[in-house]
Amino acid sequence: MEMIYATLKLDLGMILVCYAVLLLAFASNVVLSLYYNISMSKEKFDKKRLLLGIKKAVVLVVGTLLLVIAIDAATLLLADYVPDIGSQTHDIIKVVMIATTIGVAAWRYIKDAYNTFINILNGKPTENADALDNKE
């Protein structure tokens, strides 16, 4: 049982670092989008859009936290019964899960923040940033 707690503690420490990256990406996207939408596009502040973004971030955090706990518990408990499940399998599953959830979300926020940043620098509509994305 102590092994489960030690593994959970290590994994939760790693996932907190991932959440910090996600939070930075989310915050930069929010700040840049607020500036662009209010100052440049002359839109009104929409509290619903901000709350929806925060809600998505909270759901992602809770969901991935539960997934990490489930993966840790399952692989550690199955290790006693299935000899092929070891620490390498556990680590691979954990990394894939984190990369596909937190990594994809953080990358999307970073991409959106970058597009907004380019739009602010150019002082032009979002089509310019979309054109830069499709340039690849």
PDB file of all heavy atoms in Angstrom, residues 72-87:
ATOM      1  N   ASP A  72      -2.474   4.765 -11.964  1.00  0.00           N
ATOM      2  CA  ASP A  72      -1.554   4.330 -10.910  1.00  0.00           C
ATOM      3  C   ASP A  72      -2.130   3.155 -10.132  1.00  0.00           C
ATOM      4  O   ASP A  72      -1.444   2.150  -9.912  1.00  0.00           O
ATOM      5  CB  ASP A  72      -1.251   5.478  -9.946  1.00  0.00           C
ATOM      6  CG  ASP A  72      -0.285   6.484 -10.531  1.00  0.00           C
ATOM      7  OD1 ASP A  72       0.360   6.173 -11.541  1.00  0.00           O
ATOM      8  OD2 ASP A  72      -0.173   7.587  -9.957  1.00  0.00           O
ATOM      9  N   ALA A  73      -3.365   3.282  -9.715  1.00  0.00           N
ATOM     10  CA  ALA A  73      -3.985   2.214  -8.917  1.00  0.00           C
ATOM     11  C   ALA A  73      -4.101   0.928  -9.727  1.00  0.00           C
ATOM     12  O   ALA A  73      -3.764  -0.158  -9.228  1.00  0.00           O
ATOM     13  CB  ALA A  73      -5.362   2.668  -8.434  1.00  0.00           C
ATOM     14  N   ALA A  74      -4.546   1.027 -10.962  1.00  0.00           N
ATOM     15  CA  ALA A  74      -4.734  -0.174 -11.783  1.00  0.00           C
ATOM     16  C   ALA A  74      -3.413  -0.884 -12.065  1.00  0.00           C
ATOM     17  O   ALA A  74      -3.309  -2.101 -11.898  1.00  0.00           O
ATOM     18  CB  ALA A  74      -5.421   0.194 -13.090  1.00  0.00           C
ATOM     19  N   THR A  75      -2.403  -0.148 -12.493  1.00  0.00           N
ATOM     20  CA  THR A  75      -1.142  -0.811 -12.829  1.00  0.00           C
ATOM     21  C   THR A  75      -0.434  -1.359 -11.594  1.00  0.00           C
ATOM     22  O   THR A  75       0.173  -2.421 -11.655  1.00  0.00           O
ATOM     23  CB  THR A  75      -0.196   0.133 -13.598  1.00  0.00           C
ATOM     24  OG1 THR A  75       0.003   1.329 -12.853  1.00  0.00           O
ATOM     25  CG2 THR A  75      -0.731   0.459 -14.964  1.00  0.00           C
ATOM     26  N   LEU A  76      -0.517  -0.662 -10.473  1.00  0.00           N
ATOM     27  CA  LEU A  76       0.132  -1.173  -9.269  1.00  0.00           C
ATOM     28  C   LEU A  76      -0.595  -2.385  -8.692  1.00  0.00           C
ATOM     29  O   LEU A  76       0.038  -3.331  -8.215  1.00  0.00           O
ATOM     30  CB  LEU A  76       0.249  -0.072  -8.221  1.00  0.00           C
ATOM     31  CG  LEU A  76       1.233   1.047  -8.570  1.00  0.00           C
ATOM     32  CD1 LEU A  76       1.125   2.187  -7.577  1.00  0.00           C
ATOM     33  CD2 LEU A  76       2.650   0.512  -8.623  1.00  0.00           C
ATOM     34  N   LEU A  77      -1.908  -2.365  -8.750  1.00  0.00           N
ATOM     35  CA  LEU A  77      -2.661  -3.516  -8.254  1.00  0.00           C
ATOM     36  C   LEU A  77      -2.542  -4.722  -9.185  1.00  0.00           C
ATOM     37  O   LEU A  77      -2.480  -5.863  -8.733  1.00  0.00           O
ATOM     38  CB  LEU A  77      -4.124  -3.136  -8.045  1.00  0.00           C
ATOM     39  CG  LEU A  77      -4.382  -2.137  -6.915  1.00  0.00           C
ATOM     40  CD1 LEU A  77      -5.837  -1.707  -6.900  1.00  0.00           C
ATOM     41  CD2 LEU A  77      -3.979  -2.725  -5.571  1.00  0.00           C
ATOM     42  N   LEU A  78      -2.501  -4.472 -10.486  1.00  0.00           N
ATOM     43  CA  LEU A  78      -2.373  -5.574 -11.439  1.00  0.00           C
ATOM     44  C   LEU A  78      -0.960  -6.153 -11.481  1.00  0.00           C
ATOM     45  O   LEU A  78      -0.774  -7.277 -11.930  1.00  0.00           O
ATOM     46  CB  LEU A  78      -2.787  -5.119 -12.836  1.00  0.00           C
ATOM     47  CG  LEU A  78      -4.279  -4.892 -13.057  1.00  0.00           C
ATOM     48  CD1 LEU A  78      -4.527  -4.333 -14.442  1.00  0.00           C
ATOM     49  CD2 LEU A  78      -5.050  -6.190 -12.865  1.00  0.00           C
ATOM     50  N   ALA A  79       0.024  -5.404 -11.023  1.00  0.00           N
ATOM     51  CA  ALA A  79       1.411  -5.880 -11.051  1.00  0.00           C
ATOM     52  C   ALA A  79       1.591  -7.154 -10.237  1.00  0.00           C
ATOM     53  O   ALA A  79       2.425  -7.990 -10.567  1.00  0.00           O
ATOM     54  CB  ALA A  79       2.354  -4.793 -10.538  1.00  0.00           C
ATOM     55  N   ASP A  80       0.794  -7.317  -9.199  1.00  0.00           N
ATOM     56  CA  ASP A  80       0.882  -8.538  -8.391  1.00  0.00           C
ATOM     57  C   ASP A  80       0.336  -9.756  -9.131  1.00  0.00           C
ATOM     58  O   ASP A  80       0.763 -10.872  -8.884  1.00  0.00           O
ATOM     59  CB  ASP A  80       0.105  -8.360  -7.080  1.00  0.00           C
ATOM     60  CG  ASP A  80       0.758  -7.344  -6.163  1.00  0.00           C
ATOM     61  OD1 ASP A  80       1.974  -7.093  -6.314  1.00  0.00           O
ATOM     62  OD2 ASP A  80       0.051  -6.796  -5.303  1.00  0.00           O
ATOM     63  N   TYR A  81      -0.614  -9.542 -10.047  1.00  0.00           N
ATOM     64  CA  TYR A  81      -1.290 -10.648 -10.713  1.00  0.00           C
ATOM     65  C   TYR A  81      -0.819 -10.869 -12.144  1.00  0.00           C
ATOM     66  O   TYR A  81      -0.887 -11.976 -12.658  1.00  0.00           O
ATOM     67  CB  TYR A  81      -2.804 -10.407 -10.715  1.00  0.00           C
ATOM     68  CG  TYR A  81      -3.347 -10.218  -9.325  1.00  0.00           C
ATOM     69  CD1 TYR A  81      -3.720  -8.966  -8.864  1.00  0.00           C
ATOM     70  CD2 TYR A  81      -3.452 -11.289  -8.457  1.00  0.00           C
ATOM     71  CE1 TYR A  81      -4.204  -8.784  -7.580  1.00  0.00           C
ATOM     72  CE2 TYR A  81      -3.934 -11.129  -7.159  1.00  0.00           C
ATOM     73  CZ  TYR A  81      -4.308  -9.865  -6.728  1.00  0.00           C
ATOM     74  OH  TYR A  81      -4.767  -9.690  -5.458  1.00  0.00           O
ATOM     75  N   VAL A  82      -0.367  -9.828 -12.790  1.00  0.00           N
ATOM     76  CA  VAL A  82       0.109  -9.930 -14.174  1.00  0.00           C
ATOM     77  C   VAL A  82       1.568  -9.490 -14.189  1.00  0.00           C
ATOM     78  O   VAL A  82       1.866  -8.302 -14.087  1.00  0.00           O
ATOM     79  CB  VAL A  82      -0.735  -9.025 -15.113  1.00  0.00           C
ATOM     80  CG1 VAL A  82      -0.263  -9.172 -16.546  1.00  0.00           C
ATOM     81  CG2 VAL A  82      -2.209  -9.345 -14.991  1.00  0.00           C
ATOM     82  N   PRO A  83       2.476 -10.450 -14.333  1.00  0.00           N
ATOM     83  CA  PRO A  83       3.902 -10.115 -14.225  1.00  0.00           C
ATOM     84  C   PRO A  83       4.406  -9.176 -15.331  1.00  0.00           C
ATOM     85  O   PRO A  83       5.415  -8.506 -15.155  1.00  0.00           O
ATOM     86  CB  PRO A  83       4.610 -11.465 -14.292  1.00  0.00           C
ATOM     87  CG  PRO A  83       3.593 -12.473 -14.616  1.00  0.00           C
ATOM     88  CD  PRO A  83       2.247 -11.864 -14.509  1.00  0.00           C
ATOM     89  N   ASP A  84       3.728  -9.124 -16.458  1.00  0.00           N
ATOM     90  CA  ASP A  84       4.185  -8.277 -17.573  1.00  0.00           C
ATOM     91  C   ASP A  84       3.953  -6.790 -17.318  1.00  0.00           C
ATOM     92  O   ASP A  84       4.538  -5.949 -17.987  1.00  0.00           O
ATOM     93  CB  ASP A  84       3.487  -8.679 -18.873  1.00  0.00           C
ATOM     94  CG  ASP A  84       3.924 -10.058 -19.341  1.00  0.00           C
ATOM     95  OD1 ASP A  84       4.985 -10.524 -18.893  1.00  0.00           O
ATOM     96  OD2 ASP A  84       3.200 -10.658 -20.149  1.00  0.00           O
ATOM     97  N   ILE A  85       3.056  -6.470 -16.383  1.00  0.00           N
ATOM     98  CA  ILE A  85       2.802  -5.061 -16.077  1.00  0.00           C
ATOM     99  C   ILE A  85       3.813  -4.636 -15.029  1.00  0.00           C
ATOM    100  O   ILE A  85       3.777  -5.065 -13.905  1.00  0.00           O
ATOM    101  CB  ILE A  85       1.365  -4.843 -15.563  1.00  0.00           C
ATOM    102  CG1 ILE A  85       0.363  -5.160 -16.654  1.00  0.00           C
ATOM    103  CG2 ILE A  85       1.185  -3.408 -15.076  1.00  0.00           C
ATOM    104  CD1 ILE A  85      -1.076  -4.985 -16.243  1.00  0.00           C
ATOM    105  N   GLY A  86       4.703  -3.816 -15.457  1.00  0.00           N
ATOM    106  CA  GLY A  86       5.737  -3.337 -14.544  1.00  0.00           C
ATOM    107  C   GLY A  86       5.791  -1.831 -14.560  1.00  0.00           C
ATOM    108  O   GLY A  86       4.870  -1.159 -15.031  1.00  0.00           O
ATOM    109  N   SER A  87       6.875  -1.320 -14.055  1.00  0.00           N
ATOM    110  CA  SER A  87       7.007   0.138 -13.967  1.00  0.00           C
ATOM    111  C   SER A  87       7.112   0.768 -15.349  1.00  0.00           C
ATOM    112  O   SER A  87       6.643   1.889 -15.551  1.00  0.00           O
ATOM    113  CB  SER A  87       8.213   0.509 -13.112  1.00  0.00           C
ATOM    114  OG  SER A  87       9.401   0.081 -13.735  1.00  0.00           O
TER     115      SER A  87
END
